[in-house]
Amino acid sequence: MTALAAAIAIGLAAFGASIGNGMIVSKTVEGIARQPEARGVLQTTMFIGVALVEALPIIAVVMAFILNGQS
């Protein structure tokens, strides 16, 4: 049962991260289309945001392994 809960937690974290990454990238492309001269700043901010969003599934995997090992 713990393995199923861990799999669901990992899946939901990955789903949420994919939606977040899609929103980040789409808004960055929209911003670059509006102001092409700000491309460098927007891309840097986008990469920082994507890295922060990608930390969520990694944390979920670690927590799932920890909780799965405790049972």
Side-chain angles (χ1 to χ4, degrees):
M1 199 64 160
T2 309
L4 180 62
I8 291 172
I10 293 170
L12 288 175
F15 180 70
S18 65
I19 290 176
N21 281 337
M23 292 175 63
I24 290 170
V25 172
S26 71
K27 294 299 182 179
T28 302
V29 170
E30 183 180 322
I32 291 172
R34 290 176 185 262
Q35 287 186 320
E37 66 275 2
R39 180 178 182 213
V41 175
L42 291 173
Q43 274 187 333
T44 303
T45 306
M46 178 194 72
F47 287 135
I48 293 170
V50 166
L52 291 174
V53 168
E54 283 298 321
L56 176 69
I58 294 170
I59 292 169
V61 168
V62 170
M63 288 179 62
F65 282 143
I66 288 172
L67 292 175
N68 203 15
Q70 288 182 353
S71 60

Coordinates of all heavy atoms in Angstrom, one line a residue:
M1 N 0.8 -1.2 0.0 CA 0.0 0.0 0.0 C 0.9 1.3 0.0 O 0.5 2.2 -0.6 CB -0.9 0.0 1.2 CG -2.1 0.9 1.1 SD -3.1 0.3 -0.2 CE -4.6 1.1 0.2
T2 N 2.0 1.2 0.7 CA 2.9 2.3 0.7 C 3.5 2.6 -0.6 O 3.7 3.7 -1.0 CB 4.0 2.1 1.8 OG1 3.4 1.7 3.0 CG2 4.8 3.3 2.0
A3 N 3.8 1.5 -1.4 CA 4.3 1.7 -2.7 C 3.4 2.4 -3.6 O 3.8 3.2 -4.5 CB 4.8 0.3 -3.3
L4 N 2.1 2.0 -3.5 CA 1.1 2.7 -4.3 C 1.0 4.2 -4.0 O 0.9 5.0 -4.9 CB -0.3 2.0 -4.1 CG -1.4 2.6 -4.9 CD1 -1.2 2.4 -6.4 CD2 -2.7 1.9 -4.6
A5 N 1.0 4.5 -2.7 CA 0.9 5.9 -2.3 C 2.1 6.6 -2.8 O 2.0 7.8 -3.2 CB 0.8 6.0 -0.8
A6 N 3.3 6.0 -2.8 CA 4.5 6.7 -3.3 C 4.4 6.9 -4.8 O 4.8 8.0 -5.2 CB 5.7 5.8 -2.9
A7 N 3.9 5.9 -5.5 CA 3.8 6.1 -6.9 C 2.8 7.2 -7.3 O 3.0 8.0 -8.2 CB 3.3 4.8 -7.5
I8 N 1.7 7.3 -6.5 CA 0.7 8.4 -6.8 C 1.3 9.7 -6.5 O 1.2 10.7 -7.2 CB -0.5 8.1 -6.0 CG1 -1.3 6.9 -6.5 CG2 -1.5 9.3 -6.0 CD1 -2.5 6.4 -5.7
A9 N 2.1 9.8 -5.4 CA 2.7 11.1 -5.0 C 3.7 11.5 -6.1 O 3.8 12.7 -6.5 CB 3.4 10.9 -3.7
I10 N 4.5 10.6 -6.6 CA 5.5 10.9 -7.6 C 4.8 11.3 -8.9 O 5.2 12.3 -9.5 CB 6.4 9.7 -7.9 CG1 7.3 9.5 -6.7 CG2 7.3 10.0 -9.1 CD1 8.1 8.2 -6.7
G11 N 3.7 10.6 -9.3 CA 3.0 11.0 -10.5 C 2.3 12.4 -10.4 O 2.4 13.1 -11.3
L12 N 1.7 12.7 -9.2 CA 1.1 14.0 -9.1 C 2.2 15.1 -9.1 O 1.9 16.2 -9.6 CB 0.3 14.0 -7.8 CG -1.0 13.2 -7.8 CD1 -1.7 13.2 -6.5 CD2 -1.9 13.7 -8.9
A13 N 3.3 14.8 -8.5 CA 4.4 15.8 -8.5 C 4.9 16.1 -9.9 O 5.1 17.2 -10.3 CB 5.5 15.4 -7.6
A14 N 5.0 15.0 -10.7 CA 5.5 15.2 -12.1 C 4.4 15.9 -12.9 O 4.8 16.7 -13.7 CB 5.8 13.8 -12.7
F15 N 3.2 15.6 -12.7 CA 2.1 16.3 -13.4 C 2.0 17.8 -13.1 O 1.9 18.6 -14.0 CB 0.7 15.6 -13.0 CG -0.4 16.2 -13.8 CD1 -0.6 16.1 -15.1 CD2 -1.4 17.0 -13.1 CE1 -1.7 16.6 -15.8 CE2 -2.4 17.6 -13.7 CZ -2.6 17.4 -15.1
G16 N 2.2 18.1 -11.8 CA 2.2 19.5 -11.4 C 3.4 20.2 -12.0 O 3.3 21.4 -12.4
A17 N 4.5 19.6 -12.0 CA 5.7 20.2 -12.5 C 5.6 20.4 -14.0 O 6.1 21.5 -14.5 CB 7.0 19.4 -12.2
S18 N 5.0 19.5 -14.7 CA 4.9 19.7 -16.2 C 3.9 20.8 -16.5 O 4.2 21.6 -17.4 CB 4.4 18.4 -16.8 OG 3.0 18.1 -16.4
I19 N 2.9 21.0 -15.7 CA 2.0 22.1 -15.9 C 2.7 23.4 -15.6 O 2.6 24.4 -16.4 CB 0.7 22.0 -15.1 CG1 -0.1 20.8 -15.7 CG2 -0.1 23.3 -15.1 CD1 -1.4 20.5 -14.9
G20 N 3.4 23.5 -14.5 CA 4.2 24.7 -14.2 C 5.2 25.0 -15.2 O 5.4 26.2 -15.5
N21 N 6.0 24.0 -15.7 CA 7.0 24.3 -16.7 C 6.3 24.8 -18.0 O 6.9 25.7 -18.6 CB 7.8 23.0 -17.0 CG 8.8 22.8 -16.0 OD1 9.3 23.7 -15.3 ND2 9.2 21.5 -15.9
G22 N 5.2 24.3 -18.4 CA 4.5 24.8 -19.5 C 4.1 26.2 -19.4 O 4.2 27.0 -20.4
M23 N 3.6 26.6 -18.3 CA 3.2 27.9 -18.0 C 4.4 28.9 -18.0 O 4.3 30.0 -18.6 CB 2.4 28.1 -16.7 CG 1.1 27.4 -16.7 SD 0.2 27.4 -15.2 CE 0.0 29.1 -14.9
I24 N 5.5 28.5 -17.4 CA 6.7 29.3 -17.4 C 7.2 29.6 -18.8 O 7.5 30.7 -19.2 CB 7.7 28.7 -16.5 CG1 7.3 28.7 -15.0 CG2 9.1 29.4 -16.7 CD1 8.2 27.9 -14.1
V25 N 7.3 28.5 -19.6 CA 7.9 28.6 -20.9 C 6.9 29.4 -21.8 O 7.4 30.3 -22.6 CB 8.2 27.2 -21.5 CG1 8.6 27.4 -23.0 CG2 9.3 26.6 -20.7
S26 N 5.6 29.2 -21.7 CA 4.7 29.9 -22.6 C 4.7 31.4 -22.3 O 4.7 32.3 -23.2 CB 3.3 29.4 -22.4 OG 2.7 29.7 -21.2
K27 N 4.8 31.8 -21.0 CA 4.8 33.2 -20.6 C 6.2 33.8 -21.1 O 6.2 35.0 -21.4 CB 4.6 33.4 -19.1 CG 3.2 33.0 -18.7 CD 2.2 33.9 -19.4 CE 0.8 33.5 -18.9 NZ -0.3 34.3 -19.5
T28 N 7.2 33.1 -21.0 CA 8.5 33.6 -21.4 C 8.5 33.8 -22.9 O 9.0 34.9 -23.4 CB 9.7 32.6 -21.1 OG1 9.7 32.4 -19.7 CG2 11.0 33.1 -21.5
V29 N 8.0 32.9 -23.7 CA 7.9 33.1 -25.2 C 7.0 34.3 -25.5 O 7.3 35.1 -26.4 CB 7.4 31.8 -25.8 CG1 7.0 32.1 -27.3 CG2 8.4 30.7 -25.7
E30 N 5.9 34.5 -24.7 CA 5.1 35.6 -24.9 C 5.8 36.9 -24.6 O 5.7 37.9 -25.4 CB 3.8 35.5 -24.0 CG 2.8 36.6 -24.2 CD 1.6 36.4 -23.2 OE1 1.2 35.2 -23.0 OE2 1.2 37.4 -22.7
G31 N 6.6 36.9 -23.6 CA 7.4 38.1 -23.2 C 8.4 38.4 -24.2 O 8.7 39.6 -24.6
I32 N 9.1 37.4 -24.8 CA 10.1 37.6 -25.8 C 9.5 38.1 -27.1 O 10.0 39.0 -27.8 CB 10.9 36.3 -26.1 CG1 11.7 36.0 -24.8 CG2 11.8 36.4 -27.3 CD1 12.4 34.6 -24.9
A33 N 8.2 37.6 -27.4 CA 7.5 38.1 -28.6 C 7.2 39.6 -28.4 O 7.2 40.4 -29.4 CB 6.3 37.3 -28.8
R34 N 6.9 40.0 -27.2 CA 6.5 41.4 -27.0 C 7.7 42.3 -26.9 O 7.7 43.5 -27.4 CB 5.7 41.6 -25.7 CG 4.3 41.0 -25.7 CD 3.7 41.1 -24.3 NE 2.4 40.4 -24.3 CZ 1.3 41.1 -24.5 NH1 1.2 42.4 -24.6 NH2 0.1 40.4 -24.4
Q35 N 8.8 41.9 -26.3 CA 10.0 42.7 -26.2 C 11.2 41.8 -26.5 O 11.8 41.2 -25.6 CB 10.2 43.2 -24.8 CG 9.2 44.3 -24.4 CD 9.5 44.9 -23.1 OE1 9.8 44.1 -22.1 NE2 9.4 46.2 -22.9
P36 N 11.6 41.7 -27.8 CA 12.7 40.9 -28.2 C 14.0 41.3 -27.6 O 14.9 40.5 -27.4 CB 12.8 41.0 -29.7 CG 11.4 41.5 -30.1 CD 10.9 42.3 -28.9
E37 N 14.2 42.5 -27.2 CA 15.4 43.0 -26.6 C 15.7 42.5 -25.2 O 16.8 42.5 -24.7 CB 15.5 44.6 -26.7 CG 14.5 45.3 -25.8 CD 13.1 45.5 -26.4 OE1 12.9 45.0 -27.6 OE2 12.3 46.1 -25.8
A38 N 14.6 42.1 -24.6 CA 14.7 41.6 -23.2 C 14.9 40.0 -23.2 O 14.7 39.4 -22.1 CB 13.5 42.0 -22.4
R39 N 15.3 39.4 -24.3 CA 15.4 38.0 -24.4 C 16.3 37.4 -23.4 O 16.0 36.4 -22.7 CB 15.8 37.6 -25.8 CG 15.9 36.1 -26.0 CD 16.4 35.8 -27.4 NE 16.4 34.4 -27.6 CZ 17.2 33.8 -28.4 NH1 18.1 34.5 -29.1 NH2 17.2 32.5 -28.5
G40 N 17.5 38.0 -23.2 CA 18.5 37.4 -22.3 C 18.0 37.4 -20.8 O 18.1 36.4 -20.1
V41 N 17.4 38.5 -20.4 CA 16.9 38.5 -19.0 C 15.8 37.6 -18.8 O 15.7 36.9 -17.8 CB 16.5 40.0 -18.7 CG1 15.8 40.1 -17.3 CG2 17.6 40.9 -18.8
L42 N 14.9 37.5 -19.8 CA 13.7 36.6 -19.7 C 14.1 35.2 -19.6 O 13.6 34.3 -18.9 CB 12.7 36.9 -20.8 CG 12.0 38.2 -20.7 CD1 11.1 38.4 -22.0 CD2 11.1 38.3 -19.5
Q43 N 15.1 34.8 -20.5 CA 15.6 33.4 -20.5 C 16.3 33.0 -19.2 O 16.0 31.9 -18.7 CB 16.5 33.2 -21.7 CG 15.8 32.8 -23.0 CD 16.8 32.5 -24.1 OE1 18.0 32.9 -24.0 NE2 16.4 31.7 -25.0
T44 N 17.0 33.9 -18.7 CA 17.7 33.6 -17.4 C 16.7 33.4 -16.3 O 16.8 32.4 -15.5 CB 18.6 34.8 -17.0 OG1 19.6 35.0 -18.1 CG2 19.4 34.5 -15.7
T45 N 15.7 34.3 -16.2 CA 14.7 34.1 -15.2 C 13.9 32.8 -15.5 O 13.5 32.1 -14.5 CB 13.7 35.3 -15.3 OG1 14.5 36.5 -15.1 CG2 12.7 35.3 -14.2
M46 N 13.6 32.5 -16.7 CA 12.9 31.3 -17.0 C 13.6 30.1 -16.6 O 13.1 29.1 -16.0 CB 12.6 31.2 -18.5 CG 11.9 29.9 -18.9 SD 12.0 29.5 -20.7 CE 13.7 29.1 -20.9
F47 N 15.0 30.0 -16.8 CA 15.7 28.8 -16.4 C 15.8 28.7 -14.9 O 15.7 27.6 -14.4 CB 17.2 28.9 -17.0 CG 17.2 28.6 -18.4 CD1 18.0 29.4 -19.3 CD2 16.5 27.6 -19.0 CE1 18.0 29.2 -20.6 CE2 16.6 27.3 -20.4 CZ 17.3 28.1 -21.2
I48 N 15.8 29.8 -14.2 CA 15.8 29.7 -12.7 C 14.4 29.2 -12.2 O 14.3 28.4 -11.4 CB 16.1 31.1 -12.1 CG1 17.5 31.5 -12.4 CG2 15.8 31.1 -10.6 CD1 17.9 32.9 -12.0
G49 N 13.4 29.7 -12.9 CA 12.0 29.2 -12.5 C 11.8 27.8 -12.8 O 11.2 27.0 -12.0
V50 N 12.3 27.3 -14.0 CA 12.2 25.9 -14.3 C 12.9 25.0 -13.4 O 12.5 24.0 -13.0 CB 12.6 25.7 -15.8 CG1 12.8 24.2 -16.1 CG2 11.6 26.3 -16.8
A51 N 14.1 25.5 -13.0 CA 14.9 24.7 -12.0 C 14.2 24.6 -10.7 O 14.2 23.5 -10.1 CB 16.3 25.4 -11.8
L52 N 13.6 25.7 -10.2 CA 12.8 25.6 -9.0 C 11.6 24.7 -9.1 O 11.3 23.9 -8.1 CB 12.4 27.0 -8.5 CG 13.6 27.9 -8.1 CD1 13.0 29.4 -7.9 CD2 14.3 27.4 -6.9
V53 N 10.9 24.7 -10.2 CA 9.8 23.9 -10.4 C 10.2 22.4 -10.5 O 9.5 21.5 -10.0 CB 9.0 24.3 -11.6 CG1 7.9 23.3 -12.0 CG2 8.3 25.7 -11.4
E54 N 11.3 22.1 -11.1 CA 11.8 20.8 -11.2 C 12.3 20.2 -9.9 O 12.4 19.0 -9.8 CB 12.9 20.7 -12.3 CG 12.4 20.7 -13.7 CD 11.5 19.6 -14.1 OE1 11.8 18.5 -13.6 OE2 10.5 19.8 -14.8
A55 N 12.5 21.0 -8.9 CA 12.9 20.5 -7.6 C 11.8 19.8 -6.9 O 12.0 18.9 -6.2 CB 13.4 21.7 -6.7
L56 N 10.5 20.1 -7.3 CA 9.4 19.5 -6.6 C 9.3 18.0 -6.9 O 9.2 17.2 -5.9 CB 8.1 20.2 -7.1 CG 6.8 19.6 -6.5 CD1 6.7 19.8 -5.0 CD2 5.6 20.2 -7.3
P57 N 9.4 17.5 -8.1 CA 9.3 16.1 -8.3 C 10.5 15.3 -7.7 O 10.4 14.2 -7.2 CB 9.3 15.9 -9.8 CG 9.0 17.2 -10.4 CD 9.3 18.2 -9.4
I58 N 11.7 16.0 -7.7 CA 12.8 15.4 -7.1 C 12.6 15.2 -5.6 O 12.9 14.1 -5.0 CB 14.1 16.2 -7.4 CG1 14.4 16.2 -8.9 CG2 15.3 15.7 -6.6 CD1 15.5 17.1 -9.3
I59 N 12.1 16.2 -4.9 CA 11.8 16.1 -3.5 C 10.7 15.0 -3.3 O 10.8 14.3 -2.3 CB 11.3 17.5 -3.0 CG1 12.5 18.4 -3.0 CG2 10.8 17.4 -1.6 CD1 12.1 19.9 -2.7
A60 N 9.7 14.9 -4.1 CA 8.7 13.9 -4.0 C 9.3 12.5 -4.1 O 8.8 11.6 -3.4 CB 7.6 14.1 -5.0
V61 N 10.2 12.3 -5.0 CA 10.8 11.0 -5.2 C 11.6 10.6 -3.9 O 11.5 9.5 -3.4 CB 11.7 11.0 -6.4 CG1 12.6 9.7 -6.5 CG2 10.9 11.0 -7.7
V62 N 12.4 11.6 -3.4 CA 13.1 11.3 -2.2 C 12.2 11.0 -1.0 O 12.5 10.0 -0.3 CB 14.1 12.5 -1.9 CG1 14.7 12.4 -0.5 CG2 15.1 12.7 -3.0
M63 N 11.2 11.8 -0.9 CA 10.2 11.5 0.2 C 9.5 10.1 0.0 O 9.3 9.4 1.0 CB 9.2 12.6 0.3 CG 9.7 13.9 0.8 SD 8.5 15.2 0.9 CE 7.4 14.5 2.1
A64 N 9.2 9.8 -1.2 CA 8.6 8.5 -1.4 C 9.5 7.3 -1.1 O 9.1 6.3 -0.5 CB 8.2 8.4 -2.9
F65 N 10.8 7.5 -1.4 CA 11.8 6.4 -1.1 C 11.9 6.3 0.5 O 12.0 5.3 1.0 CB 13.1 6.7 -1.7 CG 13.2 6.3 -3.2 CD1 13.9 7.1 -4.1 CD2 12.5 5.2 -3.6 CE1 13.9 6.7 -5.4 CE2 12.5 4.8 -5.0 CZ 13.3 5.6 -5.9
I66 N 12.0 7.5 1.1 CA 12.1 7.5 2.6 C 10.9 6.8 3.2 O 11.0 6.0 4.1 CB 12.3 8.9 3.1 CG1 13.7 9.4 2.7 CG2 12.2 9.0 4.6 CD1 13.9 10.9 3.0
L67 N 9.7 7.2 2.8 CA 8.5 6.7 3.4 C 8.3 5.2 3.1 O 7.8 4.4 3.9 CB 7.3 7.4 2.9 CG 7.2 8.9 3.5 CD1 6.0 9.6 2.9 CD2 7.1 8.9 5.0
N68 N 8.7 4.8 1.9 CA 8.7 3.4 1.5 C 9.6 2.5 2.3 O 9.4 1.4 2.6 CB 8.9 3.2 0.0 CG 8.3 2.0 -0.6 OD1 7.5 1.4 0.1 ND2 8.7 1.6 -1.8
G69 N 10.8 3.1 2.7 CA 11.7 2.3 3.4 C 11.4 2.2 4.9 O 11.9 1.3 5.6
Q70 N 10.5 3.1 5.4 CA 10.1 3.0 6.8 C 9.1 1.9 7.1 O 8.9 1.5 8.2 CB 9.5 4.4 7.2 CG 10.5 5.4 7.4 CD 9.9 6.7 7.8 OE1 8.7 6.8 7.9 NE2 10.7 7.7 8.1
S71 N 8.4 1.4 6.1 CA 7.3 0.4 6.4 C 7.8 -1.0 6.5 O 8.9 -1.3 6.2 CB 6.2 0.5 5.3 OG 6.8 0.2 4.1

